[in-house]
Amino acid sequence: MTNYDISVIGGGPGGYVAAIKAAQMGAKTAIIEDGNIGGVCLNWGCIPTKTLLKSAKVYKYMMNSEKYGIDLENKSNVKINWENMKDRKNKVVSQLTGGVETLLKKNSVDIYNGFANIIDKNTIEVNNEKINTKNIIIATGSSPRLPDIPGFKESMEKGYIVTSKGVIDLDNLPKKLLILGGGVISVEFATLYNALGTEVTILHRSEKILRSLDDDISKKMNRILKKDGVKIVYNCDIQKIEDNKIMTIVKGKEKVFEGDKILTSIGRVPNLKGLENIDIKKYKKGIITDEYMRTNIDNIYAIGDVNGKYMLAHVASAEGISAVENILGEKSTINYNTVPSCIYSFPEIGVSGLTEKEAKEKGYDVITSTFPLAANGKALAEGETDGFIKIVSDDKYKEILGVHILAPTATDMIAEAVTTMELEGTAYELAKAIHPHPTLSETVMEAAHGIIDKPIHIFR
Ligand SMILES: Cc1cc2nc3c(=O)[nH]c(=O)nc-3n(C[C@H](O)[C@H](O)[C@H](O)COP(=O)(O)OP(=O)(O)OC[C@H]3O[C@@H](n4cnc5c(N)ncnc54)[C@H](O)[C@@H]3O)c2cc1C
């Protein structure tokens, strides 16, 4: 039997980062992965979707080329080569997953390909082999939640309904795509397929999509999606599904929607198989952990999607590092208050910290400042002025409480806000820090001036 200090179950961004960190800190480490190294993030989530979105963006630019003074004589000659798009996506994925595998090996992490069953708190079985371990990190991730709607299962078996995994590898681009759910993943796929010419309809149960966002950002994104041609049906109660047809009740009226494909994207559930032999405490969203990523069993930790705190790759990785540090004798926690959350729509959304509503509910004396991209030189040069930044701050010290950005590069821009909030920075620091010109990041500085007094490049 091989002995390890730390055994990590699951090779996603939580598990593989934890394994590399553990090995770097001198622990004898194993990682056990049942599927592909890289987990959902590298194989079916973060990376492949962004690769396809880039292709869609290039196509969109070409179709709007005259805006940039470039005449494409016959736009009907501009063809989407879906097979080549998928090939490019697959190449990016294999380059990355191959790179991660090499990193694991170079750091002397032992990789086991197979399903891990925890036998007891110090023993894991994989491919009929037992491994002995002082500590276990569970990083088994999550899977799509499948609703209990009449006809759903049958329609899925017939291939009409696909999950986020299937929708990136469709044989053909669908003419009509129905999307169940109005969360981040739904919006990213709506953006992708809409840009590629598919007729996209989002069927959403409540009266608002992207509900967790600051109201100003979600309202504007709703408008942009609609302007771009995405249909959004709110208050949509699904009654049953028959093949590619969805029977619904919308505001008291029966309505039927039909698509070539139906993407189900209504949340995810934790992967808890293989843990049956241990008495690990769980709640609705996954495994219960404390601030040190520890479960109720003292040498077992749970990180990433499976603990249900945040379903984000960068949180999984941060939790992985934190768990390892705690196992190896440090006291390590994470500041969940500044976790950035991103949507790779056109334009992108990057947010961190409190929304205006949340800040008020927490009792802050709130002051906000917005600055439009339309008043930013780089945005004008790029021809992408649809968006804005909103800073939420407390009025007394001007401490930054939340930053909400809608801009083509919002997902990169938000990192500045995270760092500022991590340092408990104020609008004074953001306004004082010299930002490069011309960049979209200048809007951060301008909005910060607006918290203190007034922005420079707009008259108020
Ligand atoms: C379409 C889509 C787009 C996304 N885009 C983003 C994004 O842009 N940014 C972002 O931050 N997040 C994004 N996410 C979320 C992100 O993918 C997850 O938060 C992240 O992958 C979670 O990492 P993890 O390590 O916890 O689990 P996972 O990535 O799910 O990895 C868990 C791994 O464990 C393995 N496993 C499970 N059980 C066992 C077992 N018993 N034995 C062995 N192996 C096992 C699985 O095979 C899997 O490979 C996206 C998700 C989806 C679906």
Side-chain angles (χ1 to χ4, degrees):
M1 200 190 300
T2 322
N3 294 308
Y4 291 97
D5 297 316
I6 300 178
S7 298
V8 183
I9 304 178
Y16 84 73
V17 168
I20 291 173
K21 184 70 183 171
Q24 285 172 345
M25 289 179 78
K28 180 150 177 59
T29 307
I31 189 165
I32 306 143
E33 171 53 62
D34 180 34
N36 297 6
I37 289 287
V40 171
C41 172
L42 268 56
N43 293 287
W44 303 284
C46 324
I47 299 302
T49 52
K50 275 78 219 181
T51 313
L52 293 174
L53 276 160
K54 177 68 188 191
S55 295
K57 192 178 263 179
V58 170
Y59 179 66
K60 209 174 167 182
Y61 276 141
M62 291 178 88
M63 298 315 273
N64 291 308
S65 65
E66 61 283 345
K67 186 172 151 186
Y68 299 94
I70 296 163
D71 297 333
L72 270 178
E73 285 202 352
N74 187 353
K75 282 199 183 149
S76 62
N77 277 340
V78 180
K79 294 269 183 327
I80 295 165
N81 189 326
W82 179 235
E83 283 309 310
N84 285 354
M85 267 177 74
K86 287 192 289 179
D87 273 357
R88 192 180 92 86
K89 181 257 303 172
N90 293 341
K91 279 187 194 123
V92 172
V93 168
S94 50
Q95 188 175 341
L96 260 182
T97 50
V100 168
E101 200 155 340
T102 306
L103 275 176
L104 287 165
K105 286 179 183 154
K106 288 221 155 133
N107 279 287
S108 307
V109 174
D110 287 348
I111 304 174
Y112 291 82
N113 300 117
F115 188 81
N117 255 308
I118 300 183
I119 304 297
D120 60 45
K121 64 190 277 238
N122 293 110
T123 320
I124 298 171
E125 190 183 60
V126 50
N127 302 330
N128 295 323
E129 184 182 346
K130 291 218 169 64
I131 60 178
N132 190 39
T133 185
K134 284 190 194 140
N135 300 281
I136 298 174
I137 298 180
I138 301 171
T140 48
S142 65
S143 304
R145 187 164 82 81
L146 303 179
D148 193 13
I149 298 171
F152 183 95
K153 202 167 152 255
E154 292 77 6
S155 175
M156 192 161 199
E157 279 162 7
K158 288 182 186 165
Y160 292 113
I161 297 182
V162 288
T163 65
S164 57
K165 196 171 172 179
V167 81
I168 56 171
D169 278 314
L170 293 174
D171 291 339
N172 301 299
L173 271 178
K175 284 204 169 61
K176 283 186 180 181
L177 177 68
L178 301 176
I179 302 182
L180 310 186
V184 171
I185 293 174
S186 307
V187 167
E188 288 189 2
F189 282 120
T191 302
L192 171 69
Y193 284 100
N194 175 62
L196 295 176
T198 295
E199 192 185 312
V200 177
T201 307
I202 295 177
L203 303 179
H204 192 42
R205 203 155 55 161
S206 75
E207 70 294 335
K208 202 174 153 197
I209 61 163
L210 300 173
R211 278 187 306 167
S212 60
L213 295 181
D214 190 272
D215 276 349
D216 290 337
I217 298 274
S218 69
K219 269 187 212 148
K220 179 78 177 168
M221 195 64 226
N222 267 266
R223 280 203 294 272
I224 289 175
L225 283 169
K226 283 183 178 172
K227 191 185 74 190
D228 285 349
V230 174
K231 291 186 187 129
I232 307 176
V233 183
Y234 306 96
N235 302 302
C236 182
D237 195 2
I238 297 176
Q239 301 293 300
K240 63 174 179 174
I241 300 179
E242 267 174 26
D243 295 343
N244 61 337
K245 288 193 196 69
I246 305 185
M247 278 48 112
T248 71
I249 296 192
V250 182
K251 291 179 194 152
K253 286 194 185 134
E254 287 183 8
K255 271 196 150 191
V256 180
F257 295 92
E258 194 174 338
D260 308 317
K261 291 283 173 192
I262 301 166
L263 164 65
T264 179
S265 179
I266 52 156
R268 298 180 66 83
V269 290
N271 294 331
L272 299 169
K273 275 201 194 124
L275 315 176
E276 294 81 2
N277 294 323
I278 48 167
D279 194 13
I280 201 158
K281 286 219 165 71
K282 303 172 200 100
Y283 68 130
K284 209 178 86 192
K285 290 178 163 183
I287 298 174
I288 296 175
T289 53
D290 66 10
E291 61 194 309
Y292 305 110
M293 318 302 149
R294 242 178 353 209
T295 67
N296 59 308
I297 304 171
D298 62 4
N299 68 326
I300 303 187
Y301 292 68
I303 59 162
D305 281 13
V306 78
N307 72 25
K309 288 181 188 166
Y310 280 84
M311 295 219 171
L312 290 168
H314 41 282
V315 176
S317 301
E319 289 181 342
I321 292 173
S322 187
V324 167
E325 287 172 343
N326 286 314
I327 291 171
L328 298 176
E330 292 175 18
K331 279 252 174 280
S332 171
T333 57
I334 286 175
N335 181 4
Y336 288 103
N337 296 329
T338 60
V339 167
S341 191
C342 297
I343 305 175
Y344 293 76
S345 40
F346 301 158
E348 295 178 350
I349 295 174
V351 303
S352 182
L354 300 177
T355 62
E356 182 176 353
K357 194 164 160 245
E358 285 165 347
K360 283 181 180 156
E361 279 164 5
K362 280 188 179 282
Y364 285 102
D365 196 3
V366 174
I367 176 169
T368 67
S369 166
T370 56
F371 189 84
L373 288 194
N376 172 269
K378 180 79 179 285
L380 282 165
E382 301 253 327
E384 299 194 65
T385 51
D386 215 1
F388 64 94
I389 172 172
K390 174 174 177 179
I391 296 184
V392 179
S393 152
D394 97 291
D395 197 18
K396 192 170 177 200
Y397 299 110
K398 315 283 189 233
E399 181 177 348
I400 307 295
L401 303 173
V403 177
H404 310 269
I405 308 175
L406 183 71
T409 53
T411 61
D412 285 310
M413 289 164 71
I414 198 64
E416 174 181 4
V418 175
T419 311
T420 307
M421 286 189 282
E422 189 68 33
L423 298 169
E424 294 181 11
T426 70
Y428 296 104
E429 281 90 35
L430 276 183
K432 183 94 178 148
I434 299 171
H435 285 65
H437 174 76
T439 58
L440 298 187
S441 73
E442 287 172 290
T443 58
V444 180
M445 181 176 69
E446 291 279 3
H449 275 295
I451 293 279
I452 300 162
D453 184 4
K454 286 180 182 176
I456 307 298
H457 285 91
I458 196 165
F459 185 74
R460 270 199 193 127

